[in-house]
């Protein structure tokens, strides 16, 4: 499969990849884009066999959305599948459009089979690479796509203008039905089956069976500067990515620019995006692009395969572009457990502007939140096949998050429905312990609950996210809905407020919407609670989210939330 380059200017009629798109202009330099997303079962052939997967408009990955900062989006989602579905616009702040955020049972009930829902929101002071994906059960394994936000007209990139741009979506593929895999894991209490392949723009590449004829190919001209918009859409796996014989210049992540730095390899956690520039300055040939796992948990099985795509210089002889001559070589990727390389990469991120006035220097709310896995004790049997006859669990501050079922959290607050949630999520762990050392067995089992933490509007918030080692220390990609935040510090071991705070970067910390909490370590983030609503905070490894690694913020505005979120849309799905 060939991948056409994205134009450097936004097409007049929106995304070229969307089956049904209308774009109208209502104000100078702003547009409203209308899309129709049809979620449906589609036969797709990978790894020698064809099976039915859920897609949007029959595409895998789904349509690429292209807009500019300041534009509005109206996206009608029609559910022709046999499962409930929602769509989350990952990284969009949804300020003033809280009902459109998309996580099932948080800001809406799912769109039921045969029904439709229209998402309406605007892009407000954001540009860069984001993405959209299903946010109900594990449907996002195949229901996802790129969301590219270009700067406003007349506003240049803060780096050399690229000659070409390509979205690169890294994913996982299972030979079997992903919802059947999820159901089996939930029934047994054990870990889910690992994926059978990784993919680059939906294709596994040359190293897998029955795949080489459809390997994704990117064509470039010698001397070109290419902007690759790399998105990790994998369900459960952090991924390394590199291009053989080429240097990557990192210029942005999670729709925020950074001070450029060069690297041979990047690591992207599930939910994260990274923008890199590549200069086509090597001898004209075919070069492999490759992705493989960064698997930080000790003793946990993972998919140890490698997906590939090919970068092809147009100036090589035509007969060699698809033949064995000029056979590409693989880039050198780190070992699966190379945390040293990951740390060296992530530590280079710095905001584009020094002395950033938006960085919070005084704090109103300080939270310390442990994240990690645990177990539920039970009688060994068919439904207790986890370690030592247990069921896998996960938690934040020893609370394993349970989603409501009869109503969404935002709707329950808006309607003042009792008994749906409480606002007593603990701001610190109920019991202090050696978080990354030997954890007492009494702390292995979390408490189930639908607990929110209430924040006052305008509060200056700091959260220290601390990995724990009950099963194994592990890198956890934590995503905060509704907000962009500053990463002011990261480190290994247990966070020490007496010494670690002194080393915080308050000058040029990077901005993110998804942060990798280091394996056996901690990450400190800060944000201004200026976006009222109910906002999910969760690990973007879907198995961990399903086991309860989540919590939610209730951000009020003045006397209450109701004034700031507006009334629910008339077509808001009902449970």
């Amino acid at each position: 499969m060939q991948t056409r380059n994205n134009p450097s200017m936004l097409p007049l009629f929106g995304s070229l990849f969307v089956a049904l798109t209308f774009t109208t202009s209502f104000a100078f330099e702003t547009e409203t884009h209308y899309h129709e997303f049809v979620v449906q079962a589609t036969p797709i052939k990978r790894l020698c066999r064809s099976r039915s997967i859920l897609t949007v408009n029959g595409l895998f990955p789904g349509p690429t959305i292209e807009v500019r900062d300041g534009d509005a989006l109206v996206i009608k989602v029609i559910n022709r599948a046999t499962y409930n579905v929602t769509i989350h616009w990952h990284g969009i702040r949804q300020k003033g459009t809280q009902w459109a955020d998309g996580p099932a049972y948080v800001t809406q009930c799912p769109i039921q089979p045969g029904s439709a829902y229209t998402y309406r929101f605007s892009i407000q002071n954001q540009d860069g690479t984001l993405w959209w994906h299903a946010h109900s059960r594990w449907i996002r394994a195949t229901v996802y796509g790129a969301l590219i936000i270009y700067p406003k007209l007349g506003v240049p990139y803060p780096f050399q203008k690229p000659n070409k741009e390509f979205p690169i979506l890294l994913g996982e593929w299972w030979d079997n039905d992903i919802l059947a895999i999820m159901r089996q894991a939930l029934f047994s209490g054990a870990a889910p089956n690992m994926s059978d392949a990784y993919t680059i723009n939906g294709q596994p590449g040359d190293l897998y069976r029955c795949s080489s004829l459809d390997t994704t190919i990117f064509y470039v001209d010698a001397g070109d500067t290419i902007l690759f918009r790399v998105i990790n859409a994998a369900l459960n796996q952090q991924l390394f990515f590199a291009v053989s014989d080429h240097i990557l210049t990192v210029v942005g992540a999670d729709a925020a620019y950074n001070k450029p730095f060069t690297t041979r390899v990047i690591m992207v956690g599930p939910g994260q995006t990274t923008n890199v520039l590549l200069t086509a300055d090597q001898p004209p040939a075919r070069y492999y692009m490759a992705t493989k796992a960064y698997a930080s948990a000790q003793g946990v099985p993972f998919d140890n395969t490698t997906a590939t795509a090919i970068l092809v210089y147009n100036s090589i002889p035509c007969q060699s572009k698809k033949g064995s001559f000029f056979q590409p070589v693989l880039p050198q990727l780190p070992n699966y457990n190379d945390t040293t390389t990951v740390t060296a990469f992530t530590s280079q991120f710095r905001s584009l502007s020094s002395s950033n006035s938006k960085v919070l220097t005084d704090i109103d709310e300080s939270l310390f939140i442990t994240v990690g896995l645990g177990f539920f004790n039970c009688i060994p049997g068919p439904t207790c096949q986890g370690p030592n006859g247990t069921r896998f669990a996960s938690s934040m501050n020893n609370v394993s998050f349970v989603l409501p079922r009869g109503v969404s959290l935002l709707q329950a607050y808006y309607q003042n429905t009792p008994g749906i949630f409480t606002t007593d999520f603990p701001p610190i762990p109920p019991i202090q312990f050696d978080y990354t050392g030997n954890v007492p067995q009494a702390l292995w089992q979390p408490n189930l609950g639908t607990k929110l933490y209430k924040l006052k509007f305008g509060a200056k918030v700091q959260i220290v996210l601390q990995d724990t080692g009950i099963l194994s220390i592990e890198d956890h990609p934590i995503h905060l809905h509704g907000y962009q935040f500053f990463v002011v510090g990261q480190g290994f071991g247990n966070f020490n407020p007496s010494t670690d705070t002194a080393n915080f970067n308050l000058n040029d910390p990077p901005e993110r919407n998804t942060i990798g909490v280091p394996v056996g370590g901690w990450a400190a983030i800060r944000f201004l609670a200026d976006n009222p609503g109910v906002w999910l905070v969760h690990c973007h490894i879907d198995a961990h989210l399903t086991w309860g690694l989540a919590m939610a913020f209730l951000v009020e505005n003045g006397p209450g939330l109701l004034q700031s979120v507006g009334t629910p849309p008339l077509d808001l799905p009902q449970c």
Side-chain angles (χ1 to χ4, degrees):
M1 181 187 75
Q2 299 182 11
T3 301
R4 298 182 183 276
N5 58 291
N6 288 337
S8 58
M9 297 294 288
L10 181 66
L12 179 61
F13 295 105
S15 172
L16 297 175
F17 298 88
V18 178
L20 180 59
T21 304
F22 301 98
T23 305
T24 57
S25 178
F26 289 101
F28 180 68
E29 295 186 347
T30 63
E31 295 177 336
T32 297
H33 303 262
Y34 295 85
H35 301 269
E36 187 172 276
F37 276 19
V38 179
V39 180
Q40 59 192 7
T42 303
I44 299 289
K45 186 174 183 179
R46 297 290 185 275
L47 306 183
C48 306
R49 60 183 292 234
S50 180
R51 71 175 183 85
S52 181
I53 66 170
L54 287 185
T55 66
V56 169
N57 298 348
L59 302 176
F60 173 65
T64 294
I65 295 177
E66 295 173 282
V67 296
R68 290 192 182 278
D69 181 18
D71 287 354
L73 281 159
V74 179
I75 304 173
K76 184 178 182 179
V77 176
I78 301 171
N79 186 5
R80 292 182 182 162
T82 57
Y83 301 103
N84 292 342
V85 71
T86 68
I87 302 293
H88 169 52
W89 316 97
H90 187 109
I92 298 295
R93 293 202 61 198
Q94 301 293 2
K95 201 168 183 180
T97 50
Q98 293 86 339
W99 298 100
D101 190 42
Y105 300 106
V106 178
T107 59
Q108 67 170 96
C109 291
I111 306 167
Q112 298 179 10
S115 300
Y117 176 55
T118 301
Y119 293 90
R120 298 176 175 87
F121 57 92
S122 297
I123 311 299
Q124 302 178 41
N125 300 313
Q126 291 185 280
D127 65 87
T129 303
L130 295 175
W131 63 303
W132 58 265
H133 60 81
H135 210 302
S136 48
R137 298 194 283 183
W138 291 5
I139 292 173
R140 80 169 179 88
T142 57
V143 177
Y144 61 82
L147 201 171
I148 297 172
I149 308 172
Y150 296 100
K152 293 180 179 179
L153 282 172
V155 177
Y157 292 134
F159 47 79
Q160 177 184 352
K161 182 180 179 181
N163 301 100
K164 293 184 175 73
E165 300 186 12
F166 298 103
I168 295 181
L169 293 104
L170 311 179
E172 287 179 279
W173 176 265
W174 279 262
D175 270 340
N176 296 312
D177 177 68
I178 189 62
L179 291 183
I181 292 171
M182 182 197 75
R183 287 192 295 267
Q184 176 60 29
L186 291 177
F187 171 78
S188 69
N193 293 343
M194 61 189 182
S195 57
D196 296 291
Y198 299 115
T199 59
I200 299 177
N201 287 4
Q203 293 292 342
D206 290 356
L207 304 184
Y208 297 90
R209 63 187 187 277
C210 306
S211 300
S212 60
L213 294 179
D214 297 309
T215 298
T216 302
I217 299 175
F218 301 92
Y219 290 98
V220 300
D221 293 319
D224 276 354
T225 296
I226 316 299
L227 175 61
F228 287 118
R229 300 174 178 269
V230 185
I231 300 165
N232 186 347
L235 197 70
N236 293 321
Q237 191 62 62
Q238 292 95 332
L239 293 167
F240 290 114
F241 174 83
V243 183
S244 60
D245 295 341
H246 289 76
I247 298 292
L248 304 177
T249 301
V250 180
V251 294
D254 292 359
Y257 299 118
N258 59 261
K259 294 176 181 176
F261 65 91
T262 59
T263 182
R264 288 281 183 182
V265 63
I266 66 174
M267 194 286 286
V268 192
Q272 292 184 325
T273 72
T274 304
N275 282 5
V276 297
L277 294 176
L278 176 147
T279 301
D281 56 2
Q282 297 301 302
R286 294 154 47 92
Y287 296 90
Y288 268 137
M289 314 162 80
T291 188
K292 63 178 286 191
Y294 167 53
S296 59
Q298 298 178 359
V300 177
F302 66 97
D303 180 356
N304 197 19
T305 61
T306 301
T308 59
I310 304 176
L311 183 76
V312 177
Y313 283 62
N314 285 317
S315 50
I316 66 174
C318 290
Q319 65 270 23
S320 302
K321 290 182 181 178
K322 294 185 178 180
S324 59
F325 190 61
F326 291 119
Q327 181 66 26
V329 296
L330 285 171
Q332 186 174 354
L333 290 168
N335 291 331
Y336 72 89
N337 58 355
D338 191 347
T339 295
T340 300
T341 293
V342 172
T343 304
F345 169 67
T346 57
S347 64
Q348 295 184 77
F349 280 92
R350 295 288 186 273
S351 286
L352 197 59
S353 300
S354 297
S355 302
N356 198 317
S357 60
K358 295 189 294 182
V359 181
L360 305 178
T361 55
D362 56 323
I363 298 299
D364 302 317
E365 292 267 10
S366 184
L367 291 85
F368 184 87
I369 300 178
T370 56
V371 299
L373 303 187
F375 309 104
F376 286 123
N377 294 320
C378 52
I379 300 173
T383 61
C384 293
Q385 297 178 25
N388 299 315
T390 64
R391 296 182 61 84
F392 275 112
S394 61
S395 66
M396 290 183 160
N397 278 358
N398 207 42
V399 178
S400 188
F401 190 73
V402 179
L403 286 168
R405 279 295 179 262
V407 66
S408 73
L409 294 173
L410 183 59
Q411 200 164 1
Y413 185 83
Y414 181 86
Q415 297 173 342
N416 198 27
T417 305
I420 303 300
F421 63 85
T422 61
T423 55
D424 57 346
F425 180 85
I428 60 174
I431 300 175
Q432 296 185 14
F433 56 97
D434 182 3
Y435 306 112
T436 56
N438 293 320
V439 181
Q441 189 168 350
L443 297 174
W444 289 7
Q445 180 164 306
N447 299 309
L448 294 167
T450 307
K451 297 179 181 292
L452 281 57
Y453 188 84
K454 187 180 293 187
L455 289 172
K456 292 183 179 179
F457 178 80
K460 300 170 184 176
V461 183
Q462 174 179 292
I463 306 174
V464 175
L465 298 159
Q466 173 71 61
D467 186 28
T468 59
I470 294 174
L471 171 65
S472 172
I473 54 175
E474 182 176 0
D475 186 298
H476 292 279
I478 303 297
H479 174 48
L480 171 57
H481 287 235
Y483 285 90
Q484 196 90 348
F485 51 77
F486 288 102
V487 183
V488 297
Q490 288 180 279
F492 291 100
N494 297 332
F495 176 73
N496 187 329
S498 300
T499 56
D500 291 328
T501 305
N503 296 320
F504 279 0
N505 176 10
L506 302 181
N507 183 46
D508 56 358
E511 289 187 73
R512 307 288 310 224
N513 61 52
T514 306
I515 178 62
V517 179
V519 51
W522 55 270
I525 66 173
R526 293 184 177 184
F527 65 95
L528 181 68
D530 62 350
N531 193 10
V534 177
W535 304 110
L536 190 64
V537 184
H538 66 96
C539 183
H540 222 276
I541 295 174
D542 270 29
H544 296 180
L545 172 59
T546 302
W547 292 332
L549 214 169
M551 56 88 63
F553 285 115
L554 170 59
V555 183
E556 294 191 300
N557 185 12
L561 182 64
L562 308 185
Q563 297 174 358
S564 55
V565 301
T567 57
L570 293 177
D571 59 345
L572 188 72
Q574 301 299 308
C575 291

